[in-house]
């Protein structure tokens, strides 16, 4: 019976413990990882073309519960990465990818 209680406690603790993603730069709890997209104003700091990633500084994203921060995002294949330049300000649309990490799905230039 004690063993069963330990398994139950470990399961409950595991459900509510934070998940940290190395390439996201910000931890998100599982309950915040809902399948929703968001638009946010961002400034491009660095482009990692070979990895299809860009580092951006963005404002708060209230619907996701994210504060303003600087982080790397992977960029979807349909986004024309060659049109994006470092230092550029733009609107990005992000949504969870197949692995749950948010990726840039659309870009709107200013």
């Amino acid at each position: 019976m004690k063993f069963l209680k330990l398994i139950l406690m470990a399961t409950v603790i595991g459900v509510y413990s934070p998940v940290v993603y190395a390439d996201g730069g910000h931890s998100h709890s599982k309950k915040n990882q809902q399948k929703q997209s968001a638009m946010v104003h961002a400034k491009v700091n660095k482009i990692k073309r070979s990895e299809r990633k860009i580092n951006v500084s963005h404002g708060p994203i209230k619907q996701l519960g994210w504060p303003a921060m600087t982080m790397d995002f992977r960029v979807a294949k349909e986004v024309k990465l060659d049109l994006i330049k470092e230092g550029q300000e733009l609107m990005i649309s992000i949504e969870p990818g197949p692995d749950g990490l948010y990726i840039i799905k659309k870009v709107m230039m200013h």
Side-chain angles (χ1 to χ4, degrees), residues 12-49:
V12 170
I13 291 169
V15 169
Y16 293 105
S17 55
V19 177
V20 178
Y21 298 108
D23 85 338
H26 184 71
S27 65
H28 309 284
S29 67
K30 287 183 183 180
K31 65 182 180 179
N32 287 340
Q33 285 293 323
Q34 299 171 357
K35 290 287 183 185
Q36 57 182 336
S37 62
M39 290 283 294
V40 66
H41 178 264
K43 180 179 180 186
V44 178
N45 300 312
K46 185 166 176 93
I47 302 170
K48 302 172 186 177
R49 294 187 194 284

Side-chain angles (χ1 to χ4, degrees), residues 61-92:
I61 306 174
K62 291 180 184 175
Q63 66 265 41
L64 299 179
W66 292 8
M69 65 181 125
T70 298
M71 61 190 299
D72 286 344
F73 280 106
R74 287 178 296 141
V75 181
K77 291 179 185 176
E78 57 269 18
V79 174
K80 295 183 180 182
L81 195 57
D82 58 327
L83 298 178
I84 300 172
K85 296 177 180 22
E86 290 180 4
Q88 187 173 24
E89 293 189 21
L90 36 84
M91 290 294 291
I92 58 173

